[in-house]
Amino acid sequence: MTDRKLLVVATGNPGKLKEMQAYLQDLGWELQLKPKELEVEETGETFMANACLKASEIAKATGEWSIADDSGLMVDALDGQPGIYSARYGRTDPDRISRLLKELGNEPNRQAQFVCAIAIARPDGTIALQVEGICPGEILHSPRGTGGFGYDPIFYVPAQQQTFAEMTPDTKRSHSHRGRAFQALLPQIETLVK
Ligand code: ITT
């Protein structure tokens, strides 16, 4: 059924898009970027609620299958902030990073986790699949590395002894919150086209 193979990627974030494309490239779905003018207001109170909202609204607006990612950084010493507000924490990536470092100051507890919720919606807007992935780490005192996007330069993963921004795309792909969510999603996505 070729009409079920088109998948609209419901993101306006180029860093995220690049990573999502890498996970989805070998699946046999034809990927299409969501039209720029279609913006969905993130009114949900959880990552999953917002992922479902974005996938569902873009699916209904385009009449196609849609996949959305809602993600963010939860910092223990800031009671889980910026969390679902990670994108709204500042105007640019450097703004968001400096605000986070300022809020944390010299706080000794640097524990944090990245969370990624992914939802796939059918053309009628109903949710077909939802998964979540988490990656624990620590917030550094200053940025390190030039890869990735967003908060990557201050997010250090002790097991790899690198920040996300120091990792190769492949290493980030294997260990990140998004990677873990996609590892759960990929076996299930195959069943959707049947
Ligand atoms: P879309 O909603 O259009 O997909 P967005 O950037 O607004 O794009 P979110 O609402 O999910 O996406 O916000 C996620 C924010 O969390 C994002 O802007 C980054 O700052 C941060 N983030 C998510 N995943 C990240 C990653 O892998 N590395 C670094 N920062 C990440």
Side-chain angles (χ1 to χ4, degrees), residues 10-13 16 19-20 34 42 47 54 69-73 83-88 93 96 114-115 148-153 164 172 176-178:
T11 183
N13 181 321
K16 227 193 231 186
E19 292 188 9
M20 291 175 82
K34 85 167 169 76
E42 296 180 19
F47 292 108
K54 287 188 270 190
D69 160 319
D70 199 69
S71 42
L73 184 56
I84 60 166
Y85 304 104
S86 294
R88 294 165 262 183
D93 283 344
R96 290 184 265 265
F114 258 123
V115 181
F149 67 99
Y151 298 90
D152 281 351
F164 271 173
K172 182 182 173 192
S176 74
H177 49 314
R178 188 162 296 103

Side-chain angles (χ1 to χ4, degrees), residues 103-126:
E103 305 259 350
L104 257 187
N106 283 326
E107 164 65 46
N109 177 7
R110 315 296 290 188
Q111 296 300 317
Q113 58 180 16
F114 258 123
V115 181
C116 174
I118 294 175
I120 294 185
R122 302 181 187 91
D124 66 1
T126 55

Side-chain angles (χ1 to χ4, degrees), residues 97 101 110 139-145 152-156 163:
I97 287 178
L101 292 180
R110 315 296 290 188
I139 305 299
L140 295 182
H141 288 267
S142 54
R144 263 172 46 182
D152 281 351
I154 53 168
F155 188 76
Y156 178 80
T163 65

